């Protein structure tokens, strides 16, 4: 085994450099000087992102949740009701000298010098973080009213699209609670001055689940037993106490002692950990931190962040779990003057009781929301999968992705650059591709160099065709992490790769 | 076999009604009175859309194309360069009386009365169709220049994000031509007055492929032989002739006689047909129509529409194939003052010639673009899959989706509402779901009613558990289109469904 160093302190920018050079992540509009807060996914980044989204979709689909897809643009009234128009703001300071803006809660304060030029800062007020636009041709632009009517905003979260469709979704679920709805899509926040690459984007991808449940049922999750013994690193908020302390608790204990508000929230915190584990976020770099009361979003009753420890950025939120109560449904009910009520069919205990229970209960359901920042998760995966290793006299970069999310599944090489080997390798490449495996072909440079190229993008298997292949239909399969090679019959190549997980 | 009627003339709104009622498509923000041009996908619609996108992605991935994901918002300079800021406009008329706006090229003209109220229309000028917004906190808002600098737009096509990354993509492809890049994502057009549900949306999904090729290679597609004998219904434009006529031609003939400009365009027209066929667009409702010169987008040298015949809307474009020449790359090269050049490595014919050919050629590649309107395709799939049939004394609605795209793969029923059957059915349901099959469970109402429910959403298989199941582990599998039932061992249920395609 090669000597291994994470090489992160020394190589902080190596991940960004690799991500750029190998086509994972590119800062957007670079030929026009770029714009902070906007990133593009290159070919390998898009594959990685797609895989993460697929695993996520499948994960919640197995919970019985259905996905919907709602619009990115919404009219003003939606965000008046949701509270985003009034409350979704950040305080900014501006430098009198260089005119740079800064968010106040990023450690910058008006009493300090400008981080950019050392100039004097002054208060610049509260800025709403939504991108505004206008829908359609404004009628009678002279009147302010008409213009207001045509105002549109880019959604700051995907959740509102789910809430707006609540009645239809309830009907789709045959008027029964609980049910869960998921959505993956773009969301937008016009950050005052984003400076942290993928961590603070103006356009980003959220994967959100909204679970609708009767408030009385929140402490009665049917599958809570499956997660209650799971241990989590928790940092509960301290109410006027002696500062926050990390506690390792089982979810069962945390709910029983009131640290986590209810079983539904506890169950979904467990599910967040389970998902992050499944895609390869290292569990020793993950903790769950409860929001302070003043830190919570305007809609939240309780809120926990799943935080990943980044060697570059420190603790970073990569998912949030909120108990939104009935805030959103009640707000939309009153603003739209529609009904967001569920008529509960009381559970009939036995056949004999049937006649007794005829009174229906009307309730507005509560919402438990796990919400994932996909771009931050991609960053966390890149950072934690990256290793620099010494192999003999050479260095290699390697991305130790789990097979479930790795962009390219296998590479096929002819051992040397001869037509008969190239032809056979191309055949093998085509065959694997036809079987739906994402595979690359490479015949340029030494075999060692080709291995390094694949290691660096996280390809778990390299299949090499040599003269023995032409004789007896066997190839070598080399595994990324161990760098071990095994000789296997061509017919078993696919099985070899599949048996090894993913 | 049941008597069949397409029932579309009579039932024009039945498709929209079914799509709404069963959770395929919902007009957005309906609780706030809606906004024309915006639709949400409900749970079944989102599944259908996801399947179509997956088949598309897989289809172009097998062509060797890589996907990227670029931002929805772009700064002003991008669209100045692309020509959208200047040329992406529609002419509008407005009613003097009711103030309604209309697009001029939808058959409405200033000489006619207002289609809404009969009032007098007047010219309202040209409207740019891009949604505008502002990026970040504008510095020094007093100066117009600074404000202009922060202007952003929502992309009217996904293609520009690919062009902006051309140099990086070229490097990813190791500086070789040709290569293809795909992108699926939202695009936005602030239509003057959209009135045609899914056919004219303000926010919609495009699936686009950009193929970069040397202009001299456009008539030399390496796989043209595979498509050249394919026959297509073509409507070439007539230059001052006696009107357009449909011609059935092979692609080889169409390219040879100059009807289709080159092999690359021809190849990709063939691929568009192949994809649309694969997802179930009926080939007898598909034709390819060439744009008139004045109809073409500002970037196009030649352009063909794949048109679907809708019984409701007539011929509707569902995909477009354009030869964009070097328009986009040249425009971005000059606006950004960067290089969009490829240094061609001349093909060495034989080892002996190696010394002779050392002169590299510098070119700006041309772009061939197949571009698909996913929402219109979804509409076309719903309309063409919908049948109303007489079964005995009852009517049934059925969506005859191909297995590849059907939202739900199977439904599991207990024959009657008894605990022992329900338990066994739930087991079966869970087992199929664990195997990754999208399956529903239903125990409510008569078995006939449950069949109708599944027919109406296009579920190809219904699996029924009865008392014989408990005895000998067999179930009935009922097929949607033939309504035939076969009895199969439980162990063969999955294979029965998979063998039947998809």
């Amino acid at each position: 085994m090669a000597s291994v160093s994470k090489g992160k302190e020394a190589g902080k920018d190596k991940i960004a450099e690799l991500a750029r050079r190998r086509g994972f992540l590119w800062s957007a509009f670079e030929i026009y000087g770029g714009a902070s807060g906007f990133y593009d996914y290159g070919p390998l980044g898009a594959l990685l992102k797609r895989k993460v989204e697929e695993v996520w979709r499948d994960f919640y689909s197995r919970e019985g949740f259905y996905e919907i897809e709602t619009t990115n643009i919404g009219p003003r009234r939606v965000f008046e009701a949701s509270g985003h128009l009034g409350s979704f703001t950040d305080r900014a300071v501006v430098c009198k000298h260089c005119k740079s803006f800064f968010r106040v809660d990023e450690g910058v304060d008006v009493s300090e010098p400008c981080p950019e030029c050392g100039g004097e800062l002054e208060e610049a007020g509260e800025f709403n973080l939504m991108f505004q636009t206008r829908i359609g041709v404004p009628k009678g632009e002279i009147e302010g009213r008409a213009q207001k009517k045509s105002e549109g905003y880019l959604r700051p979260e995907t959740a509102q699209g789910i809430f707006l469709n609540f009645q239809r979704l309830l009907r789709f679920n045959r008027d029964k609670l609980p049910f869960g709805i998921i959505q993956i899509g773009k969301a937008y926040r016009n950050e005052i001055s984003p400076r942290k690459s993928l961590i603070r984007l103006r356009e980003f991808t959220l994967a959100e689940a909204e679970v609708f449940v009767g408030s009385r049922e929140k402490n009665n999750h049917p599958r809570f037993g499956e997660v209650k013994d799971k241990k989590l690193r928790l940092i509960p908020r301290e109410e006027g106490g002696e500062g926050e302390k990390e506690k390792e608790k089982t979810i069962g204990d945390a709910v029983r002692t009131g640290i986590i508000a209810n079983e539904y929230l506890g169950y979904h915190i467990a599910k967040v950990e389970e998902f992050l584990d499944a895609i390869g976020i290292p569990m020793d770099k993950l903790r769950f931190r409860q929001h302070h009361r003043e830190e919570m979003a305007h809609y939240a009753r309780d809120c926990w962040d799943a935080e990943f420890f980044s060697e570059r950025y420190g603790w970073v939120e990569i998912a949030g779990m909120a108990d939104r109560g009935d805030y959103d449904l009640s707000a939309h009910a009153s603003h739209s003057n529609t009904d967001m009520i569920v008529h509960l069919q009381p559970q009939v205990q036995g056949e004999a009781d049937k006649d007794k229970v005829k009174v229906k209960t009307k309730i507005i359901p509560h919402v438990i929301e796990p919400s994932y920042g996909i771009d931050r998760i991609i960053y966390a995966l890149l950072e934690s999968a990256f290793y620099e290793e010494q192999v003999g006299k050479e260095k290699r970069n390697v991305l130790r992705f789990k097979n479930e999310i790795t962009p390219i599944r296998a590479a096929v090489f002819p051992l040397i650059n001869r037509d008969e080997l190239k032809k056979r390798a191309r055949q093998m490449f085509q065959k694997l591709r036809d079987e739906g495996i994402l595979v690359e072909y490479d015949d340029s440079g030494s075999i060692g160099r080709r291995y390094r190229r694949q290691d660096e993008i996280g390809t778990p298997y390299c299949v090499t065709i040599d003269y023995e292949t032409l004789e007896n239909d066997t190839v070598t399969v080399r595994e990324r992490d161990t760098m071990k090679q095994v000789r296997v019959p061509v017919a078993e190549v696919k099985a070899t790769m599949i048996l090894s997980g993913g």
Side-chain angles (χ1 to χ4, degrees), chain A:
Chain A
M1 186 62 204
S3 92
V4 171
S5 87
K6 289 290 284 181
K8 272 163 197 172
E9 286 77 1
K12 273 182 179 172
D13 290 313
K14 285 179 184 167
I15 294 150
E17 187 276 328
L18 185 155
R20 186 172 53 245
R21 182 168 44 80
R22 297 308 308 272
F24 284 91
L25 283 161
W26 294 327
S27 66
F29 333 120
E30 211 172 66
I31 63 171
Y32 291 109
S36 54
F38 293 96
Y39 266 80
D40 291 338
Y41 286 86
L44 295 179
L47 279 169
L48 178 61
K49 181 166 186 268
R50 203 66 64 228
K51 294 259 177 121
V52 169
E53 289 170 356
E54 269 166 30
V55 176
W56 191 87
R57 189 170 270 137
D58 186 57
F59 185 86
Y60 282 99
S61 163
R62 281 164 198 262
E63 293 285 307
F65 291 11
Y66 276 90
E67 184 177 3
I68 71 171
E69 186 182 315
T70 69
T71 60
N72 286 228
I73 299 174
R76 178 186 174 92
R77 292 187 67 188
V78 171
F79 303 107
E80 268 173 1
S82 72
H84 286 93
L85 208 59
S87 309
F88 193 60
T89 55
D90 270 347
R91 231 177 88 214
V93 291
V94 61
C95 173
K96 286 180 178 180
H97 182 65
C98 73
K99 308 283 183 212
S100 293
F101 281 79
F102 302 90
R103 249 178 105 201
V104 169
D105 62 346
E106 273 184 326
V108 178
D109 204 295
V110 73
S111 62
E112 288 160 46
C114 170
E116 295 277 316
C117 75
E120 200 184 329
L121 298 178
E122 63 179 348
E123 290 282 350
E126 297 270 334
F127 284 86
N128 191 286
L129 297 182
M130 285 194 295
F131 284 98
Q132 196 190 340
T133 189
R134 194 184 282 171
I135 300 168
V137 181
K139 293 187 193 179
E141 260 199 278
I142 324 102
E143 320 153 53
R145 207 193 60 81
Q147 187 172 330
K148 204 165 169 184
K149 205 180 151 199
S150 70
E151 272 177 33
Y153 294 87
L154 293 178
R155 63 183 179 191
E157 56 175 1
T158 71
Q160 294 305 323
I162 297 176
F163 301 141
L164 294 183
N165 285 303
F166 172 72
Q167 292 161 311
R168 292 155 161 172
L169 292 165
L170 178 65
R171 221 167 305 134
F172 183 81
N173 203 50
R174 301 200 193 165
D175 300 312
K176 289 194 194 89
L177 289 181
F179 65 90
I181 299 292
I182 58 174
Q183 179 160 206
I184 303 181
K186 288 289 181 106
Y188 308 82
R189 297 183 185 179
N190 199 1
E191 298 285 350
I192 289 166
S193 185
R195 286 177 177 81
K196 285 182 180 175
S197 76
L198 274 202
I199 305 301
R200 196 165 293 285
L201 293 177
R202 282 171 165 153
E203 177 177 333
F204 51 99
T205 298
L206 289 180
E208 301 191 296
E210 311 299 322
V211 186
F212 298 94
V213 56
S215 63
R216 293 196 178 177
E217 298 301 312
K218 278 157 90 175
N219 251 323
N220 187 22
H221 193 290
R223 291 167 65 186
F224 191 69
E226 294 173 22
V227 303
K228 74 173 174 19
D229 296 327
K230 197 180 183 108
K231 275 190 183 160
L232 296 179
R233 286 170 75 183
L234 300 176
I235 306 195
R237 71 170 155 254
E238 285 289 324
E239 318 274 8
E242 61 301 15
E244 282 155 354
K245 277 193 229 94
E246 194 175 295
K247 294 173 183 168
E248 194 173 271
K249 290 243 179 218
T250 65
I251 293 178
D253 279 350
V255 170
R256 201 176 34 76
T257 56
I259 293 174
I260 293 174
N262 55 63
E263 285 194 3
Y264 264 75
L265 193 56
Y267 179 81
H268 282 286
I269 290 175
K271 286 286 145 180
V272 166
E273 193 190 69
E274 195 181 316
F275 169 76
L276 294 173
D277 191 21
I279 58 170
I281 298 289
M283 287 300 101
D284 59 352
K285 296 193 164 189
L286 189 73
R287 69 179 193 184
F288 291 87
R289 189 181 67 77
Q290 190 174 29
H291 278 206
H292 296 266
R293 296 207 180 276
E294 65 283 6
E295 185 187 2
M296 282 196 282
H298 59 275
Y299 50 71
R301 296 186 170 207
D302 193 11
C303 195
W304 290 79
D305 284 349
E307 294 184 329
F308 164 76
F309 185 75
S310 158
E311 312 217 5
R312 186 169 175 81
Y313 299 108
W315 289 103
V316 171
E317 177 196 359
I318 56 176
M321 290 117 304
D323 180 345
R324 299 177 73 129
D326 65 355
Y327 183 92
D328 302 278
L329 293 184
S330 292
H332 285 302
S334 74
H335 278 75
S336 67
N337 206 16
T338 57
D339 218 3
M340 295 287 185
I341 275 167
V342 181
H343 296 270
L344 285 189
Q345 293 282 13
Q347 288 291 320
V348 176
Q349 293 301 324
E351 295 288 314
D353 297 334
K354 235 177 191 170
D355 293 337
K356 286 184 192 165
V357 278
K358 289 221 162 147
V359 184
K360 285 187 181 178
T361 332
K362 290 198 287 184
I363 60 155
I364 295 185
H366 282 209
V367 170
I368 304 293
E369 174 196 77
S371 170
Y372 298 73
I374 295 295
D375 314 273
R376 290 181 176 190
I377 287 172
I378 298 293
Y379 178 81
L381 290 171
L382 282 168
E383 193 191 279
S384 50
F386 179 76
Y387 287 80
E388 257 189 329
E389 297 178 355
Q390 194 70 33
V391 182
K393 286 179 186 166
E394 281 184 26
K395 272 195 176 167
R396 72 161 186 165
N397 293 332
V398 56
L399 285 173
R400 297 186 187 274
F401 290 136
K402 285 185 91 164
N403 281 359
E404 287 81 353
I405 61 157
T406 194
I408 306 289
R409 190 52 184 261
V412 179
F413 309 149
L415 180 65
I416 52 170
N417 202 352
R418 298 296 293 267
D419 282 347
E420 57 273 34
L421 296 185
K422 276 161 49 172
K423 193 181 155 200
R424 190 73 183 76
R426 281 247 167 235
Q427 264 174 17
M428 173 108 214
F429 162 76
Q430 196 60 49
K431 189 167 161 284
L432 289 170
R433 183 190 268 181
D434 289 347
E435 285 170 352
I437 295 175
L438 239 159
V439 60
E440 280 199 346
Y441 170 89
D442 190 0
D443 61 18
S444 112
S446 75
I447 195 90
R449 197 166 156 218
R450 282 178 267 165
Y451 282 148
R452 297 294 164 273
R453 264 189 221 133
Q454 296 299 329
D455 289 344
E456 200 174 49
I457 62 172
T459 307
Y461 303 102
C462 293
V463 180
T464 302
I465 273 70
D466 55 21
Y467 280 102
E468 211 180 317
T469 312
L470 305 186
E471 279 164 29
N472 67 6
D473 246 20
T474 62
V475 294
T476 59
V477 177
R478 181 261 197 185
E479 199 270 333
R480 176 194 68 205
D481 296 344
T482 59
M483 294 181 280
K484 276 189 190 146
Q485 299 180 24
V486 287
R487 191 137 204 122
V488 297
V490 165
E492 288 168 26
V493 166
K494 196 182 164 187
T496 306
M497 297 186 326
I498 287 171
L499 286 176
S500 316

